[in-house]
Structures are given as C-alpha cells and as structure tokens.
Amino acid sequence: MTKYKQIRIVLNNCGVIDPENIEESIARDSYMALGKCITEMTPQDVIKEIKESGLRGRGGGGFPTGLKWEIASKNHADQKYVVCNADEGDPGAFMDRSVLEGDPHAVLEAMAICGYAIGATKGLIYIRAEYPMAIKRLKIAIDQALEYGLLGNNIFGSKFDFNIELRYGAGAFVCGEETSLIHSMEGLRGEPTIKPPFPAEKGYLGKPTNVNNVETFACVPIIIRKGASWFNKIGTEKSKGTKVFALAGKVNNVGLIEVPMGTTLREVIFEIGGGIQNGKKFKAVQTGGPSGGCLTEKHLDTPIDFDNLIAAGSMMGSGGMIVMDEDNCMVSVAKFYLDFTVEESCGKCSPCRIGNKRLYELLERITKGQGVMDDLQRLRNMSNVIKDTSLCGLGQTSPNPVLSTLDNFYDEYVAHIKDHKCPAGQCKDLMKYFIIAENCVGCTACARVCPVGAITGEKKEPHFINSEICIKCGACMERCKFDAIIIK
Amino acid sequence: MEKVKLSIDNKLVEVEKGTTIYKAAKQLGIDIPVLCYMNLEGLGIENKPGGCRICVVEVEGRRNLAPSCSTDCTEGMVVHTHTMRVINARRTVMEFILSDHPKDCLTCAKSGNCELQDMAVKLGIREIPGQEYAAMSTYKMDFSPSIIRDLDKCIMCRRCEMMCNEFQTVGALSAFNRGFQSAVGPAFEMDIEDSTCTYCGQCVAVCPTGALTEKDHTRDVINALSDPTKTVIVQTAPAVRAALGEEFGLKPGTLVTGKMVTALRRLGFNYVFDTDFAADLTIMEEGTELLGRLTKFLGGDKEVKLPILTSCCPAWVNFFEHNFPEMKDIPSTARSPQQMFGAIAKTYFADKIKVKREDLVVVSIMPCLAKKYEAQRDEFKVDGNPDVDFSLSTRELAHLIKQANLDLKTLPDEDFDKPLGESTGAAVIFGVTGGVIEAATRTAYELHTGKKLAKVEFEQLRGMEFIRKATIDFNGTPINIGIAHGLGNARKLLDEIKAGKSEFHAIEIMACPGGCIGGGGQPLHHSDSSILKARTKAIYAEDEGKVLRKSHENPYIIKLYEEFLGKPMSEKAHHLLHTHYFDKSGKIEIS
C-alpha cells in the first residue's frame, strides 16, 4: 500500500493539530463522519458499515466492534449509554493517552456516532485520574464541541442529542475490564461480575451500555468517512486496520508506532525499532502487557494480528511491546509481570487473589536459587488452573508470562534451579563476584570501596572476595581499573 | 416458561431457562461442591458472586471452566462436572484457599461445623504444597459485645456482605483492600462497634468459616455456676427449644423443651425459667400501650404516634436508632422479654428468695447475638449491675451441654420452675415472624372487645413472606397490621411511615429471616431453608399444645401484677419494663 512501514489512521492528527482548538480538528475533517451519519445514514447503516470494516476491539479482546454495537442497538431501554474505556493501565503503555491528548475530538465524534447507532444519548469517558493533560484537553474539546453544536442537543439540526461526561478512575488495572469499569463508575467496588449479563444488556445503572476502548473509537470516524471497503483493505484476513504499539525496551527507537495489522515482529523491531541497542542479541519480545506472553526469535516473522499472537502464546492486548535482549533474565521478567498482577488483582476470585501470589512466591524462590525441579511442574499446573478458573480477563491471562517463558526459555529456569546460575546475570542472589588473580595488581582500591569489608589481600598481591560477606553491590567492579573483577 | 435441554455428565435434563448449571445438576442428583454459593430456597436469599471457583465445571466448546453456581444452562449445552481437569482445578483452587487460611482448627470456634473444613475433606486435601514459604494475609482481630471478627479466616465468599447489604440493608460490611489483602469488613477497617452494625448476627449465621463468630460467654457462665456465693438463674427464649436438638443430631423441628430444662438443671442452674413468661408480660405492656394509642387515635387525637412498632428485637432497635432516629418515639417503649425478665428477676424474684441483687446471676439463652449487646446496654443496669448478666446463644448452650457430657437426646423431660417459668402459647410464638403481633392481637382483641376469641389462631398473620399485611376486625373497627422480617424489608415499611403513607396501626418487625428461629445465634442452617420452616412448625405446635394460649390468662402474670406491678403501664411497670431509645445516627467516627 505504501513504501512506509507505518501508516497513521488512529494517530493521524496527533502532533499535527492543536488539540485545544476545535477548528484545527474540523479543518482535518473532524465531525464530518458524524454529520454524514446523522444526515445521510440510518443507525442500521452505521452499524453495517462498522461491521463491514472488520474493526475489532483495540482494548485487547478483539471483539468485533460492529457486532457489539448491533447487540446494544437491539436491546431496548429508556436510556442507553456509550462508554469510552480510557483506563489505560498496562505498564509502559500510552497509546490511548496520546490519542486523547493529541486528537480528543476523534474520540468524542466516534462516541456520538456510536450513540446514534445504538440509540444512546449519553456518553461517559472513564479516564484514569493520572492523565491530567488528557482530562484537561477532553474537557476543552467537549466544551468546544458543545459550543459548535457538534455535541449536545439537536446535533446538526437533527433530533439527535448526545452529551458526554467524564468519570475518573483511581488507577486500578482491573477497572479496564468492562464490568469492573461499570461498577467503578457506579461508585461501587471496582471488581468484575460474571458475564452474562453483558453490558450491552445490563450495563451502567442496569441499562444497555456499549463499552469501547479509546483506540477503537478513534478508528470509527475515518471508517465512516472513507468507507468500510477502504478500511478493510488494510490488515490481515481477520484483523483489519492498523494497531498502535508502545514500543519499548532494548530497541534503538522507542515510542509509539502505528502499523497495519499483518506487519511482522521483525519489521517492527528491526526496521521501525532500529534493532537492538548496543548491537546486542535479540532475546524476546513481550506483547499484550502484563497479560501477554514473551515471544522469541522463532516468532519474529509472524504477522501481527489478534489470532496469530494468541496462537503463539501471547496476545495483542492494548498494544504494549517490550523488547528484551540477552541481558534480560526471563524468570525475572515473568516475576516482574506477576508482581504487577498480584498488585492489581481485585481479590474477588480465589485463583487470582491467592494463586497469583503463590506463582510470584515460587518465581521469587527460583530467582534466589532456592527452587527445586518439581517447582516447574507446580508453576505450570498453578498457571493452567489460574487461567482455567479465574473470573475475569485479568486472572485468565495473568499466568501468560510464566507459561510463555516456561515454554520458550525452559533452560533458563533449569539453570536457576540446578546450577544456581542466572544466565543473563540479572538475579542478584545468584551472582558471585570474583577477582581474577592474573589481572589484579593489588592496588587495594576495591578493598577500600567495599562497604562490608568482604575484600582482603596484601598490597601488591592479588585480592580475594569473600562471597559469604559480599552483598553484591558492584562497587568494587566499578572501581577496578584493571578489569580484574568479574561476575559469575 | 421457556425450557432448555442440556446434558450433564451424559444425562439429559430439561430445565427452565435461567436455571444455573448447579441447580440443573442438583435435579439430576449430581452433587457439585459449592463454597461461596449460598441459597436459602424459597426465601429469595441468594449469594452467588462466583468468587471461590470451587464449583467450576467443564462445558464443551468453552475455553475455560465455568462456575456452575452462576452460569445459566443453554440449549444443547454439554456439561461435565467431575472430569480430571475439573478435579485438578478444584483441588488446586482449594489448596490456594487453604494456603491463606490459619491452621488453628483445634481451637477454632467453627471446628467441626466449618464448611471450609468439610470442603477440604470432600476434595481430599492432605497437604498444601509450598505452605512453608506461603505468605498469609493478616488483619487485626475485632471484638465487639456480640460478634468477633477474625479476618485471617475470611475466604471472601461475600455471604456476610450480601446479608448485611442486600438483605438487611445495614451496610456495615463490604469488601476492603485489593488482591491478596482483600477481606470483608466495615469501611476503613474500623471496628464493627463503631459501624452501623445492628448485631443481628446474620453475617455470623452464614459465615462458612471461623471468620465471624459470636462473642463466647460460656466461660463466664461456668465461672458463675461454680461460684457457691452466687444464685444463678436461667431464662430460655422460645426459639431455642425448636432448634437446640439439631446440635445433638435430632431432626430439625424437634421440640426439646423438657430435655433442655433437664439439661439446664443438671448444669447447675438454681432456677430454670422461661423467657416466655416475660413474653407474656411484654404482651400485657405492649398490648396495653397499643390499645392506649388506638383508643386515643380513634377518639380523634391527631398527635398520637401510629403505627406502633414492636420493640422486642434488639437488632431492630439498633437498626432504627442508627437509621431512623427521628422516629424513635414510634416504637413501643416496652423492653424486650429478655430485659423484662432480667428486671423482674432482680427485683420481684430476688426479694422472694431473699438474694441480694449482686449475688443473683441472670443468664439468658437466646437464638440471637444482638441480645448480648442488649444485655450490656447502660439503661439496663442498676449501679453497674446488669439485669441480665450473660446472654448465651443456642450454639453456646449446646457446647455447654456437650462439655458436661449430657446427651440431650436421652434426657428425661422436666418442667420449668415457678413462678417465672409459666407461660402461654402466645409467648411461644414470639419465636417466629408474625408471632408477637399475633400474641398481641389475641390479648388486645379480648381486652378491647370484652369478647372471648372463638379461634385464637390468626392464620392471616402467619407465613414466610417478607412483608405481610392483614386487617383484623376489632368489633367493627378494622385494625391494619403489618409484618416484616429482615431489616431491608423493615426499611420499606419505615420509609412508608416516614413518607406519611403507612396504612398500618401496628407493625411487627424481626431482623432475622423467619424471625428468632432464624436468629444469628441458632444452630447453623448451612443454607438449608427447610430447617427454618421446620423450626417454625415446631413453634406453632408448641403453642397448640399449651392449655393457656393468651398472655393475659397466665396466672403468674396476673399474680405478678397483683403482688408487685399493680397494672400494665403503671409507674412501677414503666420503671422496670419500659425503656427509651437513642439517636445513634451520628455515632460513626473514623479515627
């Protein structure tokens, strides 16, 4: 389609327009799609267009957006709601934030279109309070849109009314799950309930509610403007359009990227990302945030889309992408993500509340060299049961980092357990500092800098580190001018 | 009703649409283990957060396991309830739960009666892998006059929360903290005593573990009974005799009145009396108060407060003190039977046997935990000495009897002592919802009309419906009576009164489902609502078996008025048998 690897659909206006000036948005076709919907299309036409576009939910689930709208449109009630999920909570992810800060009108317009399609007159944006800039710009955008008659009552002189309010989240990861999000908006404890009933049937205040993520909404206006057939030419057979990723980690070019579905991980990491920093070796890429999995060399040529990533043992998630090199310990990576899910579990169901904690404890033992080989079997069984029995998406995916690293980096686990070694040299408890006698000139610099007096030796004689006393702070290694100190 | 057909463990079954897999399996006789799930069938009290994940089953075509308690059957569904995948999942989840649960079963109040313990047995748990390095979630202990909370034992089943919020609308308990540190308690982890808790004990009644238990007073009672300087007397509430037998393996609904009296006597109580005596006394006072207010009302007095509300349920008293303090002059001022008994015992009876107040210990056996709190209210003390010293629950009495190696089942029947042990059938039915108002109606009708009732049973006041209404013809004057059990249902009637829309002259309110027979101090029903129904039946049977069935016919009550009180609502009666209420709405302080 283009010689460039990236195309901008969602991020089209970001950085181009002044997001606090609606006229700049309008100059770039904002609200054209809403106008077209209201004046030229029936709600059924709108839903049909979105269905044909093949747009799938960008929050991670990948549920067909048009179908979701259709279900909500068919549930009749005196009041329905459109909710925008702006509770972006993956560590290191800021796709939604960029859209809200850079192009707020795209989201407002799409919500109004959704309201028109499903028969809702009220929209709510559930946004985390940690996004003050996004909140400020959304407020300005809403005010300006109201002033211009693009939101509010009788939009475009029609009988269609649509008003949008903000609701603030307190930064709980689980509130990105739609039933939790709705409970939180209702002032209740942010925890999920069993579906069905789905929000489309019984959502906010018990009324039919359609919840979509920021990025999903941001795709909507352009689909209406350019048509489903334009949109569905981009991407793979079952995943259409583009996806924004927050590329991070050990690549040379980090930041937000937007690529068509079907782009390979190799293209993203080595072409767009510019390869691994300092010429180190690529080891793994974590996609899908804390709920995703670690993919390796063998997955590099997999075209990125919803289904391929799941098949590979990871997931699309909301678009976090963290690249790791040979210096990353994969057991520690799994532990890092578990630490996050343990912290973010709501506590409602036992496998997630307790099981994740137990997984974390086991990983911690392994990184300390206290693991036994049976632990690997236990890790796998606990992970499978947590996935199989948890109530919501959080627990159903939280063991993914453990399972994918067990699958792809089993040897690394074994090295920690059997050899008490961390091949990446990251697990402090397994590291030992040594002095290479041949290189040591006996300058005593290391002994003087050691905070715990672990280094002994005569002047001008090779020194020795007592590993029983050593706290592995690394100060000696830093001080040594003769490369005499190594970690093993 | 639309039906769906499905297969469970290769058996076909047809159920109504909306039936859960768990219920459908039950129809087939397939037992799926459940832990957090609770259902008091027929009462509409159901807890299904789908949180424990013990009841998971395999549904063909579904990616993950489904919680059978909260997953509806669909047409053509194929369910497997006990595959290896399911068994492994259940055991692993149970190991998770137990890994964060104290192992002090030996001294736990719930030992032997614990649903978690039973589940561990059922699932064959023999060890908890990794227990030696598993962190535990810990919380402060919380002691109150009625309830003890040991949240280390909370498994987040949320039953207590459901009872407290949805059924009782008290709102004292909700989940706090997140993740591994989650548990259920008052907001900001304040003590239950500082919350709006009414001590109804319904949280304790449904708690599957030892997280919520009653404040145990058996040690105090043993001390009193072994002190030769004390005269120890006991009173037993009507609902106790209909449930105590369950603790000894007797069928629910078995009346054990005579055996209970024998057991109490053998435990060493100097006098075994009956709270029913005081219930008859309550009717005399409350009935007179009702008639008084009615007469004024019918005489055109616009100031008179109607409807009159019963006041024998202490949780209900706490409830309106917290939530409706502006209406605190509406309930009857009559003390509860427990407190009337205490007041009479420590005056009239103490004088009779020539024992000083401080040497007389009054113990009550109650189906209730709020009674423990009520007994230690300041207004029921004289110079710091309480009218009722210790209030034991039915469960605690059972423990005492077992400790004394008495086999209740084989004990002979004995009678209560006189004079405070004589009672009528009207007093017995205090134990069930609608009973107090029926008892009051029996007396008020006869006193008001001067006619003898042809039939003492008022069937229209009976039943398990949460809110009931009936109109009784008082010689041409229709008296509208309302009944509610469950504080959430009471709230509805109170809101009507507040809005000036109440049609009632008198309302009876009981905090617990079914009335006192379903009290927080009763043997645990373990979600079996048929037990509550059996107890109700037993209470009505006891009433029917009585020679005297109207409170004003109790000869010892007549004598008590002649010898001591004068007449109902006399000054002395006011002093000893009536009380006043407090505004507790602003009491919550967060330190």
Side-chain angles (χ1 to χ4, degrees), chain B residues 268-302:
Chain B
F269 288 101
N270 300 96
Y271 297 89
V272 180
F273 289 138
D274 200 350
T275 313
D276 288 14
F277 171 84
D280 279 331
L281 189 56
T282 303
I283 290 302
M284 297 307 292
E285 294 296 325
E286 200 170 292
T288 308
E289 194 183 356
L290 164 67
L291 280 179
R293 289 203 210 174
L294 265 183
T295 312
K296 279 190 196 162
F297 175 74
L298 296 173
D301 184 348
K302 294 273 184 289

Side-chain angles (χ1 to χ4, degrees), chain A residues 191 194 350 358 388-389, chain B residues 52-53 70 85 88 99 158:
Chain A
E191 61 180 21
I194 287 166
S350 5
R358 300 299 174 235
D388 219 6
T389 57
Chain B
C52 75
R53 315 306 277 190
S70 45
R85 178 179 164 202
N88 175 48
S99 74
R158 319 288 283 273

Side-chain angles (χ1 to χ4, degrees), chain B residues 15-47:
Chain B
V15 294
E16 276 180 12
K17 203 177 173 199
T19 306
T20 60
I21 297 175
Y22 170 73
K23 284 182 182 165
K26 212 170 172 186
Q27 282 184 26
L28 287 171
I30 297 166
D31 177 31
I32 301 174
V34 287
L35 187 56
C36 68
Y37 179 71
M38 185 194 91
N39 182 23
L40 284 174
E41 234 175 309
L43 290 177
I45 300 175
E46 196 174 27
N47 181 59

